[in-house]
Amino acid sequence: MSRALFDLTGRLALVTGSSQGIGYALARGLAEAGAVVVLNGRDPTKLVAAQARLAEVGIASETAAFDVTDPKAVEAGIAAIEAAHGPLHILVANAGIMRRMPSVEMPPETWREVLATNLDGVWYCCQAAGKRMVARGKGKIVTICSVQSELGRPTIAPYAASKGALRMLTRTLCAEWARHGVNVNGVAPGYYDTELTGALVNNAEFTDWLCKRVPAGRWGKVEELVGATVFLAAPASDFVHGHLLYVDGGMTAVV
């Protein structure tokens, strides 16, 4: 019985931004739990490479190349996924970017670039997938938030603003869709060693600060986000709505 609560066999899952980093790790984890996974990104070449990496470990997957910042492309992409593979049961809205710059120097185009991907893109995907899930009376949506949904840091104003907004988008969609059998929750990673954080990982001063600041005393590994995501995508979380699950080594729990 307890294993069945985390079994995703027969479920179709779309993970945006999954050609690398956190998205790739989550796609692999969902597939290992039994889901049929659709990889998404803007670059078809990167998607094919990610699909090949999964195939090397015996995991079959599908790909869907579209830009999450384009609402028409999102709608067409999700419609095509359902036409080819059947109803979408799980959406993991992961696609995101980071731009670091002092706020007094940040041009409007940089602000909009980050918000367009990290907030608008999540909204377009949630709306396109969510309206189908609401009509069917079931579905699981997991937004990938951040410790910056709760905490601020210098030089990342648009990123922190977008992740704070995702927290409230997650809660608002819960308020609308929970009664229709659609679970909307968020996973909020702390600091993880990924392509986006490479400069910080290699910065000895920052890593020293991080290891002292985080109770667990280290950077996170992307595989450590899989359990939380599988939980929020699986029957085990059927009565969990509007929740942000922080996977941050204790960072947001301490001063």
Side-chain angles (χ1 to χ4, degrees):
M1 175 60 180
S2 59
R3 288 187 181 183
L5 290 174
F6 298 91
D7 185 9
L8 298 180
T9 301
R11 310 291 176 93
L12 180 65
L14 168 64
V15 183
T16 65
S18 51
S19 62
Q20 62 185 11
I22 287 174
Y24 175 81
L26 298 183
R28 176 172 175 170
L30 292 172
E32 289 174 340
V36 175
V37 171
V38 181
L39 306 175
N40 159 263
R42 290 178 294 181
D43 186 338
T45 302
K46 286 186 176 180
L47 287 178
V48 170
Q51 186 180 42
R53 293 202 306 276
L54 289 178
E56 288 174 1
V57 293
I59 296 173
S61 61
E62 306 294 337
T63 63
F66 58 83
D67 184 349
V68 298
T69 69
D70 180 344
K72 292 182 179 179
V74 171
E75 171 61 28
I78 289 179
I81 289 168
E82 292 209 339
H85 308 294
L88 186 65
H89 303 99
I90 300 161
L91 167 68
V92 179
N94 165 77
I97 61 173
M98 168 73 85
R99 300 288 183 264
R100 293 183 175 86
M101 191 180 300
S103 292
V104 295
E105 301 173 7
M106 188 168 295
E109 56 268 25
T110 300
W111 172 270
R112 276 307 326 157
E113 179 191 18
V114 176
L115 271 290
T117 299
N118 294 9
L119 180 58
D120 298 351
V122 173
W123 162 244
Y124 298 144
C125 291
C126 286
Q127 186 181 48
K131 67 183 182 183
R132 293 168 165 84
M133 293 175 178
V134 166
R136 291 190 288 262
K138 61 181 178 180
K140 300 273 187 169
I141 294 176
V142 181
T143 61
I144 302 302
C145 298
S146 170
V147 290
Q148 266 76 50
S149 296
E150 190 70 32
L151 305 173
R153 269 194 64 79
T155 74
I156 60 166
Y159 182 86
S162 69
K163 295 300 184 177
L166 279 190
R167 177 180 64 177
M168 296 314 301
L169 177 61
T170 300
R171 291 174 174 173
T172 300
L173 294 180
C174 154
E176 290 189 44
W177 295 349
R179 70 189 63 198
H180 299 290
V182 179
N183 299 71
V184 186
N185 294 288
V187 171
Y191 281 79
Y192 283 74
D193 184 354
T194 72
E195 290 84 354
L196 284 179
T197 59
L200 293 178
V201 173
N202 295 324
N203 183 319
E205 183 180 0
F206 184 86
T207 292
D208 179 66
W209 170 84
L210 179 71
C211 292
K212 291 174 180 176
R213 172 67 176 82
V214 176
R218 62 175 176 83
W219 287 86
K221 303 171 185 176
V222 291
E223 296 79 12
E224 292 172 310
L225 292 165
V226 169
T229 305
V230 169
F231 165 66
L232 293 176
S237 62
D238 280 352
F239 201 56
V240 180
H241 292 274
H243 179 68
L244 260 64
L245 179 47
Y246 286 89
V247 190
D248 63 358
M251 189 174 199
T252 53
V254 301
V255 177

